[in-house]
């Protein structure tokens, strides 16, 4: 039975905002105009140098009206910065200024709707994992494979087509020279979507970041879910037990 709490994602919201710079200029703090897109609780934009940044919001995020007179508001979140094949994750608070009171209210409503959606989505996903039978034993962990594009760590950082397989608690893929490489999913620090519009997800270890791109959003979410359940110790569940198929 489908979870009754699951609702369609809110409509994407986009437009211009003035973002408060994390650094200070000669006259102190200043605001920079940027074009933003909010989709499925993820805010994306480009810096003045063209670097794409994504901010993922969730259960710990909060929207606050800072000043109605100056049209300012703030949003807390986890900032996932994707830069030339690497990624870093930090907590911070973002302050924005809208161009009008109407835009201010529209952005605040959009942020609250997207954060509420992400909270419900994560709760449903956690409940799905928790409801699995805890002591199921399989002869071997299930395998899952497919084709993904991996972002090269070498300049100019092209996307490279790779056959990728999950097996035995690890993710395996072939390098450009044909050698097999693996990532232990038990030891990674984070597995998350980094851009829902380009179907990119991140696998973060203590020393390295891996960014993959799927052919579409559904496949990207499927990969992330499968990787996360193995990371959380649920890798020995079969698809029949997980999905009833």
């Amino acid at each position: 039975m489908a979870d009754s709490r699951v609702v369609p994602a809110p409509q994407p919201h986009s437009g211009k905002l003035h973002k408060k710079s994390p650094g200070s200029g000669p006259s102190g703090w200043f605001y920079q105009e940027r074009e933003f897109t909010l989709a499925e609780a993820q805010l994306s934009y480009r810096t003045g140098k063209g670097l794409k940044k994504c901010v993922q919001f969730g259960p710990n995020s909060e929207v606050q009206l800072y000043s109605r007179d100056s049209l300012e508001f703030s949003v807390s979140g986890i900032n996932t910065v994707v830069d030339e094949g690497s990624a870093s994750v930090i907590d911070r608070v973002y302050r924005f200024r809208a161009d009008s009171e109407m835009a201010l209210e529209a952005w605040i409503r959009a942020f609250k709707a997207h954060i509420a959606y992400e909270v419900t989505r994560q709760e449903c996903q956690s409940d799905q994992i928790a409801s699995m039978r805890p002591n199921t034993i399989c002869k071997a962990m299930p395998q899952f494979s497919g084709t993904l594009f991996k972002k090269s760590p070498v300049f100019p950082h092209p996307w490279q087509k790779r056959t990728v397989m999950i097996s035995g608690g690890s993710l395996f893929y072939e390098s450009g020279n044909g050698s097999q490489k693996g990532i232990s999913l038990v030891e990674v620090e984070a597995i998350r979507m980094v851009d829902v519009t380009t179907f990119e997800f991140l696998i973060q270890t203590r020393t390295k970041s891996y960014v993959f791109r799927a052919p579409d959003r559904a496949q990207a979410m499927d990969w992330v879910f499968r990787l996360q359940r193995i990371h959380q110790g649920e890798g020995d569940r079969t698809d029949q037990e997980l999905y009833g198929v």
Side-chain angles (χ1 to χ4, degrees):
M1 180 181 295
D3 196 314
S4 61
R5 293 172 298 173
V6 178
V7 296
Q11 288 294 319
H13 190 78
S14 61
K16 292 182 179 179
L17 283 172
H18 300 266
K19 186 180 77 69
K20 194 169 186 178
S21 171
S24 58
S27 302
W29 299 97
F30 60 96
Y31 280 88
Q32 301 166 313
E33 185 179 84
R34 297 284 182 261
E35 186 76 26
F36 293 89
T37 297
L38 179 62
E40 298 192 20
Q42 185 178 86
L43 185 72
S44 59
Y45 65 99
R46 291 188 179 275
T47 67
K49 297 181 179 179
L51 172 65
K52 185 173 184 178
K53 292 191 177 184
C54 299
V55 186
Q56 181 66 56
F57 299 101
N60 296 322
S61 300
E62 185 177 6
V63 184
Q64 291 186 330
L65 175 63
Y66 183 75
S67 172
R68 184 171 295 277
D69 291 337
S70 59
L71 306 175
E72 295 176 82
F73 68 100
S74 64
V75 189
S76 60
I78 299 176
N79 185 28
T80 304
V81 182
V82 182
D83 178 14
E84 298 183 346
S86 63
S88 58
V89 180
I90 58 174
D91 288 319
R92 61 171 291 188
V93 176
Y94 295 83
R95 186 179 296 179
F96 301 99
R97 187 177 66 204
D99 288 329
S100 66
E101 187 168 348
M102 182 180 296
L104 172 70
E105 293 176 352
W107 274 106
I108 290 178
R109 284 197 304 269
F111 272 110
K112 288 183 176 179
H114 280 264
I115 291 171
Y117 163 79
E118 181 64 14
V119 169
T120 302
R121 188 194 68 79
Q122 290 190 24
E123 287 177 348
C124 293
Q125 187 179 69
S126 297
D127 290 348
Q128 183 179 10
I129 293 174
S131 66
M132 300 173 192
R133 286 182 290 169
N135 296 315
T136 303
I137 299 176
C138 298
K139 292 182 179 179
M141 285 188 176
Q143 291 188 349
F144 179 75
S145 62
T147 300
L148 295 173
F149 291 86
K150 177 181 175 293
K151 196 166 190 178
S152 171
V154 181
F155 185 84
H157 313 287
W159 290 97
Q160 301 168 320
K161 191 175 182 179
R162 296 285 183 260
T163 298
V164 183
M165 180 177 66
I166 301 173
S167 180
S170 297
L171 182 75
F172 296 96
Y173 65 93
E174 288 189 356
S175 65
N177 60 16
S179 62
Q180 190 176 70
K181 294 188 176 182
I183 308 169
S184 172
L185 299 175
V186 178
E187 299 177 0
V188 301
E189 295 188 341
I191 300 169
R192 67 171 66 247
M193 292 291 296
V194 293
D195 196 325
V196 295
T197 60
T198 55
F199 325 126
E200 297 171 30
F201 62 92
L202 164 76
I203 301 176
Q204 177 76 52
T205 70
R206 292 182 180 179
T207 59
K208 195 172 182 180
S209 300
Y210 302 84
V211 180
F212 292 91
R213 176 182 288 170
D216 55 47
R217 179 183 175 277
Q219 292 187 57
M221 296 297 290
D222 188 32
W223 275 98
V224 169
F225 178 73
R226 290 173 183 270
L227 293 168
Q228 285 180 340
R229 67 183 174 91
I230 291 177
H231 176 59
Q232 296 171 14
E234 299 293 339
D236 58 351
R237 305 294 186 264
T238 65
D239 283 349
Q240 183 175 6
E241 291 167 335
L242 282 168
Y243 307 114
V245 296

